[in-house]
Amino acid sequence: MKAIVVTDQEAGTAGMKLVERPRPKAAINDVVVEVHASGFVGTELAWPSTWTDRLDRDRTPSIPGHELAGVVTALGYGTTGLSIGQRVFGLTDWSRDGTLAEYTAVEARNLAPLPGDVDFTVGASLPISGLTAWQGLFVHGRVQAGQSVIAHGSAGAVGSMVTQLAREIGAHVIGTGRAADRQAALDFGANEFVDLDNEALEDVGQVDLVFDLIGGDIGKRSASMVRSGGTLVSIVGPVEARPADGLAVDFVVEADRAQLGEIVERVRDGRLRTNIGTVASLDEAVGAFNSKERRTGKTIIRVRG
Ligand SMILES: NC(=O)c1ccc[n+]([C@@H]2O[C@H](COP(=O)([O-])OP(=O)(O)OC[C@H]3O[C@@H](n4cnc5c(N)ncnc54)[C@H](OP(=O)(O)O)[C@@H]3O)[C@@H](O)[C@H]2O)c1
């Protein structure tokens, strides 16, 4: 099968190569999925799991990309819950070969059914950004109606989901990002917007929840904006400064079939709009990931069709 591999951590996306690899086999509780569309987060190439397995052994050449939408073509020993020919989408294990390939093997429990009226490209754009927003807001942040939320990078892949889901439950959302992203953030539902390059974040006052996906100085300044009893949720690693009288949580997104179902239902009924920037074929993927232009929204690789 055709697949993109990486072998050199120093090379970043420039080291990606389109090659022939053996088709994966389904292990216990796995399915093999014929990948129709794949999502890739650039920072994966900095994560240890792209380079080593769970015992820290070199696993290169490794296939990056951990979001997919496709069709089940094989079931492993003992696999239940999904069937051959079923449309699925989901988030694959960080430590196994991923989805920038014609086929991938993945534990069935990491996938959810993809309804027939949801395009594969849309399905592949949802798992990481949708699940991260869902888990950060509802599982770790325990956001409630009427609370105020700072959604950093609110025009980006995760931030646009955070903004929409927080608005849906009745929170007041302060989006942030670049000046050029103000309108996009407001269109995703932000009540207000702070241009981080030209406006003072602190002017918005204390909030119940900060959803940080920027870190660094913005992350540190955000900690002081969490009101008593509030929460700073970070998806960019351990927080460097904690709220004086609140919680700080950092987490890595996990696969969850029920949450994927909640997310795709919202896409179907129009409550949630996905944020796709570029769609490219597998042959064009290495070029797309190495583009020098500023990319907004997710890059989705249409592997088939
Ligand atoms: N822990 C987890 O489970 C998890 C899951 C998903 C993502 N992540 C991480 O979360 C981060 C965001 O991911 P994403 O897919 O949402 O990325 P994205 O689509 O690029 O969105 C990030 C947004 O934030 C903006 N931004 C970043 N730094 C900024 C700054 N200093 N000032 C103003 N705006 C800034 C970006 O603008 P520019 O493009 O102009 O910088 C972009 O609009 C990445 O680091 C990713 O690795 C972690």
Side-chain angles (χ1 to χ4, degrees):
M1 66 170 186
K2 281 201 281 189
I4 289 177
V5 296
V6 287
T7 50
D8 174 6
Q9 187 161 7
E10 302 305 314
T13 52
M16 288 177 148
K17 285 193 194 75
L18 184 63
V19 299
E20 280 292 321
R21 296 287 297 156
R23 272 201 206 184
K25 292 197 171 58
I28 287 177
N29 289 339
D30 274 352
V31 292
V32 170
V33 180
E34 177 187 71
V35 180
H36 285 238
S38 163
F40 163 77
V41 176
T43 45
E44 271 178 39
L45 298 188
W47 301 346
S49 50
T50 299
W51 307 101
T52 53
D53 67 14
R54 289 178 187 276
L55 290 174
D56 207 28
R57 294 175 302 212
D58 182 5
R59 69 177 196 87
T60 58
S62 71
I63 301 173
H66 292 280
E67 297 172 285
L68 68 77
V71 173
V72 174
T73 57
L75 303 179
Y77 182 81
T79 302
T80 60
L82 297 175
S83 48
I84 290 175
Q86 189 166 10
R87 299 172 99 245
V88 291
F89 75 121
L91 173 65
T92 69
D93 190 321
W94 303 116
S95 300
R96 293 177 77 178
D97 274 344
T99 62
L100 287 171
E102 291 181 296
Y103 295 88
T104 193
V106 46
E107 282 183 88
R109 63 180 173 172
N110 293 347
L111 303 176
L114 182 69
D117 57 358
V118 179
D119 187 80
F120 288 117
T121 303
V122 172
S125 73
L126 299 173
I128 292 183
S129 46
L131 289 173
T132 305
W134 188 279
Q135 291 164 18
L137 284 172
F138 304 136
V139 179
H140 303 295
R142 296 168 184 264
V143 68
Q144 305 285 325
Q147 291 189 329
S148 50
V149 175
I150 291 179
H152 281 311
S154 52
V158 177
S160 57
M161 292 283 169
V162 172
T163 301
Q164 294 176 87
L165 290 171
R167 278 301 306 277
E168 185 200 327
I169 62 111
H172 179 90
V173 177
I174 301 125
T176 81
R178 311 280 179 198
D181 294 328
R182 180 182 299 272
Q183 195 54 49
L186 297 175
D187 291 346
F188 281 114
N191 300 91
E192 306 171 39
F193 182 82
V194 179
D195 159 8
L196 291 174
D197 293 323
N198 300 296
E199 293 169 355
L201 179 62
E202 287 73 11
D203 286 353
V204 303
Q206 300 260 291
V207 297
D208 297 292
L209 178 71
V210 176
F211 198 118
D212 185 27
L213 48 76
I214 296 177
D217 184 49
I218 298 291
K220 282 190 224 158
R221 285 164 56 197
S222 298
S224 65
M225 300 186 61
V226 174
R227 73 164 50 105
S228 178
T231 308
L232 170 64
V233 172
S234 167
I235 59 166
V236 283
V239 298
E240 292 177 58
R242 309 179 78 83
D245 185 23
L247 289 175
V249 183
D250 73 280
F251 76 101
V252 173
V253 61
E254 293 184 71
D256 187 298
R257 184 179 288 170
Q259 291 170 4
L260 286 170
E262 295 276 0
I263 290 159
V264 80
E265 270 319 298
R266 283 166 172 73
V267 171
R268 290 177 85 197
D269 67 22
R271 278 178 289 169
L272 206 52
R273 184 158 57 87
T274 191
N275 188 0
I276 297 172
T278 306
V279 179
S281 67
L282 194 56
D283 290 335
E284 300 160 340
V286 174
F289 293 132
N290 285 287
S291 160
K292 296 280 175 280
E293 281 165 33
R294 180 178 187 239
R295 273 180 275 148
T296 56
K298 284 190 76 80
T299 299
I300 297 299
I301 303 307
R302 186 77 199 196
V303 176
R304 194 175 301 266

